[in-house]
Amino acid sequence: MMLFQYAIWGAWYVTLSSYLGATLQFEGSQIGLIYGSFALAAIISPAIAGVLSDKLFSAQKVLGVLHLSGALLLIMLSYQLTYFWVYALVFMYALCYMPTISLTNAIAMRHLRYPEKEFSNIRVFGTVGWIVMGWVVSYFDLELGASPILVAASLSLVLGTFAFFLPKTKPKFLSHSRGIKQWLGLDALFLLKNRSVMILVVASLLVSIPLSFYYSFTNLFLNDLGVDNAAGIMTLGQFSEIGFMLLLPFCFRYFGIKKVMIIAMFAWGLRYLFFAYGSIDVMLLLYFGIIIHGICYDFFFVAGQIYVDQKAPKTLKSSAQGLMVQATYGVGMFVGTWLSGYVVNHYTIDNVYHWKGIWLVPAFIAFAVMLLFAFVFKTKHRTIKNNINE
């Protein structure tokens, strides 16, 4: 499940900016808004999917329907050339795909005895899927065309069918006597009454702003510099993700959630400094910036998912994961994609990208969020420590 979930995303999401910018000649702000449609969908749809899977239907069935619908939308998208239809279809696809992130997390955690210890070993296969598709796209030189979209559509058909054969993950609550707050998934918001969870969710939202710069423009950045095999080189980040995913339980044990997430935010800022001062003549900095992706992503987002899952009651596991998706891939990346598009336009003069200025902006944001989080986040991490030791 995890292998195909992220193979779908990795097949076309990374190279989309190069296809839109170099082939379809869309402006930086248009590219930012198209990537922002994923964020907008992440605000809307995960709560709905969380309600459906927590209270009405088996989660694996919801997952299957969403991926089959997404496959059809991707096929339609591959034939579009105008901004309006590209944006509309990407947005509709995102409404189907974004809930599946929290659904796959919830399905996996429901069937694991010790999610805090075992989940990272399952989630790592998603990274493997992303790497494989990066290689495929790069090897067959598909980065500047619509072929990656069709590849993603094929994978989505496979996972959509396979989902119906996953372990049954029935809703925890089937009563129809709940209020409107519960049916809309807003009951998961009560988790924010816990100060540590609230601060973590807000920090996740804020750090997703610089994250969107990486997802939206790194591939275009590398291609603009003239780097060969850009999509393949970017999979180095996923290789490091595998290693750090496997290290995550041990880091939880010895450092605790706070130090792990501070390390991640520092790595985000450092990455953008490497990009700002790297070039085709100083490729080592670019490689470093890509390779530390494992620390950036795993030590923040995967750690946050595990932490929130522990804090959520059994009847709200899917909705709690949806809340994290809304905060990170939703609100945070929506602001980030808008800001990144604006920043790229600002530093593009006579059709020339001035990448140093572009990358210094997310570097500053990442370091600022890190300092804020370090001062205000306080939690006892005994729960995760003890569970791992058990």
Side-chain angles (χ1 to χ4, degrees), residues 8-208:
I8 293 167
W9 205 0
W12 72 294
Y13 187 79
V14 170
T15 60
L16 181 64
S17 61
S18 293
Y19 171 58
L20 297 177
T23 304
L24 299 186
Q25 298 295 305
F26 288 0
E27 296 177 357
S29 58
Q30 291 177 318
I31 296 172
L33 288 172
I34 288 171
Y35 273 93
S37 66
F38 274 88
L40 189 60
I43 298 172
I44 301 169
S45 53
I48 298 172
V51 171
L52 293 176
S53 59
D54 276 336
K55 302 176 176 70
L56 293 175
F57 304 105
S58 295
Q60 82 279 3
K61 293 180 180 178
V62 177
L63 182 69
V65 170
L66 289 173
H67 274 300
L68 291 175
S69 302
L72 177 61
L73 291 167
L74 285 175
I75 293 171
M76 295 169 62
L77 172 64
S78 67
Y79 292 99
Q80 305 306 315
L81 301 175
T82 62
Y83 171 72
F84 175 82
W85 284 111
V86 168
Y87 182 91
L89 286 167
V90 169
F91 177 62
M92 286 188 283
Y93 173 76
L95 286 173
C96 293
Y97 183 84
M98 295 314 291
T100 65
I101 298 173
S102 55
L103 280 174
T104 50
N105 290 343
I107 289 171
M109 291 182 187
R110 180 83 68 87
H111 295 281
L112 296 175
R113 186 176 181 184
Y114 298 112
E116 67 283 348
K117 181 170 65 175
E118 300 169 322
F119 177 69
S120 59
N121 296 330
I122 302 298
R123 173 59 181 80
V124 74
F125 283 91
T127 303
V128 172
W130 188 295
I131 290 172
V132 170
M133 295 319 303
W135 282 354
V136 169
V137 169
S138 182
Y139 180 80
F140 291 102
D141 196 22
L142 305 177
E143 291 186 44
L144 301 181
S147 296
I149 299 174
L150 291 173
V151 172
S154 301
L155 294 171
S156 193
L157 283 172
V158 173
L159 181 53
T161 304
F162 175 71
F164 291 95
F165 297 93
L166 288 169
K168 293 181 180 179
T169 311
K170 295 182 179 180
K172 288 286 187 179
F173 186 82
L174 297 174
S175 171
H176 295 272
S177 61
R178 304 281 274 181
I180 186 67
K181 191 174 182 179
Q182 286 75 22
W183 287 112
L184 292 177
L186 299 179
D187 44 355
L189 293 176
F190 95 93
L191 290 170
L192 299 182
K193 292 181 180 179
N194 183 305
R195 184 178 183 274
S196 63
V197 172
M198 180 190 70
I199 292 172
L200 184 142
V201 170
V202 172
S204 298
L205 185 159
L206 293 175
V207 86
S208 295

Side-chain angles (χ1 to χ4, degrees), residues 256-269 295 299-300 366-367 369-375 377:
I257 183 73
K258 181 174 181 176
K259 289 181 180 178
V260 164
M261 300 188 89
I262 288 175
I263 291 170
M265 286 182 277
F266 179 79
W268 276 113
I295 303 176
F299 278 31
F300 199 94
F367 285 133
V369 176
M370 178 193 71
L371 291 174
L372 178 65
F373 182 81
F375 281 111
F377 184 77

Side-chain angles (χ1 to χ4, degrees), residues 272-295:
Y272 292 125
L273 290 181
F274 287 153
F275 281 178
Y277 293 98
S279 67
I280 197 71
D281 298 318
V282 195
M283 280 294 296
L284 192 60
L285 288 181
L286 301 182
Y287 279 117
F288 283 151
I290 292 169
I291 289 172
I292 62 174
H293 178 75
I295 303 176

